[in-house]
Amino acid sequence: MIEEGSKSSKSMVEKRQLFMEMRAQNFDVIRLSTYRTACKLRFVQKRCNLHLVDVWNMIEAFRDNGLSTLDHNAEINVSRLETILSSIFYQLNKRLPTTHQINVEQSIGLLLNFIVATYDSEGHGKLTVFAMKAMLATMCGGKILDKLRYIFSQISDSNGVMVFAKFDQFLREVLKLPTAVFEGPSFGYTEHSVRTCFPQQKKILLNTFLDVLMADPPPQYLVWLPLMHRLANVENVFHPVECSYCRSESMMGFRYRCQQCHGYQLCQSCFWRGHASGPHSNQHQMKEHSSWKSPAKKLSHAISKSLGCMPIGEPPHPVFPEAAERPQDLAHTTTLESPSRLDEEHRLIARYAARLAAEASNSTQCPPTDLSFNFDANKQQRQLIAELENKNREILQEIQRLRLEHEQASQPTPEKAQQNPTLLAELRLLRHRKDELERRMSALQESRRELMVQLEGLMRLLKDEEQKQAVQTGGSPHSSPSHSASCTMPMPIRSTSAGSTPTHTPQDCLAGVGDDVLDAFSQDVPRNLRNDLLVAADSITNTMSSLVKELNSVDDGLEEEEENMRNGRDKVSSLKHPGKRHSTPSF
């Protein structure tokens, strides 16, 4: 009996440890309830190491522990809550360097006792999924914008419109945090809390929700939430200014400057406690500063402002699209754990089983109800993985079988070659005809190349003759119209043999050239030589086009004959095997 009493008293001390440490910080001397609440919750956040867990890591932990598929009103017991917290902090230690490792067991114990004291004050041993998500998403680290976006996703419908009943439920759960740190009279939940935050709006979208909760000032019931994030941002901010009350030569955190007393500034400790000296009074308006600006920066700021060069102030948050993002349905997904992670979970389950067994031997009031759930869940997960692997193997075998059948059906065999000899003979003739046409086309292309080389030589001779005539008549060769026309005329691509000036006569160059070119250089008929050369080139192009058309017609005939052969093979195959059907498998 004495041993049981000592263990019970030790458990009570562990549950009250966090609150005892918080009272030792003497936060109650802060005269403003907003700062008092924010400081207390910031102390709980840091003491439980929640400030090291980003909101995105917290959302990932919710998904890994199967909370994304549970209804918000579903209840979980304390044992499963401890399992979730263990996975959060063990994953945190993996991300942290070895020199900054945390005490996981202590963090789990402190946070678990705080959550139970906050949301299970009557001792039922259970709390809702939504309450746990709201608490952890609010108290974890990260940007307040990301937290509010996640909270809105939990309280909005599929169209991206906030449901007032769900927002009321969120306020009911999140306002239990100030109550847990003994600030309930200032920030306790009331029936009018929702309408106080949104007095006029009827349709609340994401941007409106962020505008209201990130406004300056925010709603009165949640004014401590953005202040808690500002406290985290200024903890290490240094101000090289002397405090006008305590005469400290520097300040850390916030700095407060009086708007009536010139040069009167207070550190955050003196301002929070309401200290004042000289002509200054606590009734004077004070401006809060979260950073330090040197006199040079202040001067440049004032000059820029007077000259109208100040940039337009950025909005408190980016504007998001009005259309709601469809939430992912994670009910059908299965997380394939790595062997190392499964081993860690097995060790974690074994440790919890040993702890529960030890507690069960000393007290019959704590039955290990969640142990069977952990084992059953792990067993079901392994069975599901095995079923999916077997199904995958069956599908791969079926794909391989269909692929082999398709390859066998497409390969030619001697029996298929003898089915229709007439079609095969026609096919060979068409291929022979195609080869002849291709050879003929190659010969014509070679002739065309030689003709173009000769045409280029003729053009050079023509240009030289025009230049000589221009010199004899006393004119400039550059002023000849024919010369300018020849310079602008597009020339064909030269071959390697056309790079040097030809030395043969025009009559030798005309050997083997068509009638159009001969007529162009005849002395009897005065014609435009360039037009005649273009006519000769067009005739060559027309000949090549007719040859290409003939080749295309042969290819079309060849494809038609091949299609007829395939149809013939299919008909013969259907006659031989009337009960068998060949189909191309789709992958």
Side-chain angles (χ1 to χ4, degrees), residues 315-432:
H317 65 85
V319 178
F320 297 95
E322 297 294 340
E325 297 181 358
R326 294 292 181 182
Q328 296 181 353
D329 185 11
L330 302 177
H332 62 282
T333 59
T334 302
T335 303
L336 298 179
E337 304 289 351
S338 61
S340 60
R341 183 167 180 176
L342 287 175
D343 294 338
E344 291 178 1
E345 290 185 355
H346 293 163
R347 289 195 299 269
L348 194 63
I349 293 172
R351 184 168 60 85
Y352 291 155
R355 181 188 297 179
L356 291 173
E359 292 179 359
S361 61
N362 297 326
S363 176
T364 59
Q365 298 179 357
C366 298
T369 57
D370 194 56
L371 182 61
S372 60
F373 173 80
N374 290 332
F375 283 126
D376 293 342
N378 201 353
K379 183 178 179 181
Q380 291 177 1
Q381 196 175 41
R382 289 196 300 269
Q383 291 177 353
L384 181 58
I385 292 173
E387 292 177 0
L388 291 175
E389 289 178 350
N390 293 332
K391 189 66 176 178
N392 187 33
R393 282 194 295 268
E394 293 176 0
I395 292 174
L396 291 177
Q397 291 175 359
E398 182 67 17
I399 291 174
Q400 186 65 21
R401 185 184 63 81
L402 294 173
R403 184 177 295 161
L404 291 175
E405 290 183 358
H406 177 65
E407 291 177 355
Q408 293 175 359
S410 60
Q411 289 179 355
T413 59
E415 296 178 359
K416 294 180 180 179
Q418 297 176 1
Q419 289 175 2
N420 199 336
T422 304
L423 291 177
L424 292 176
E426 293 178 358
L427 182 60
R428 284 193 294 269
L429 291 175
L430 288 173
R431 288 177 178 173
H432 182 67

Side-chain angles (χ1 to χ4, degrees), residues 94 97 129 131 236 239 242 291-292 308 363 419 427 474 499 506:
K94 290 182 180 180
V129 173
N236 299 318
H239 305 269
E242 182 183 15
S291 61
W292 164 254
S363 176
Q419 289 175 2
L427 182 60

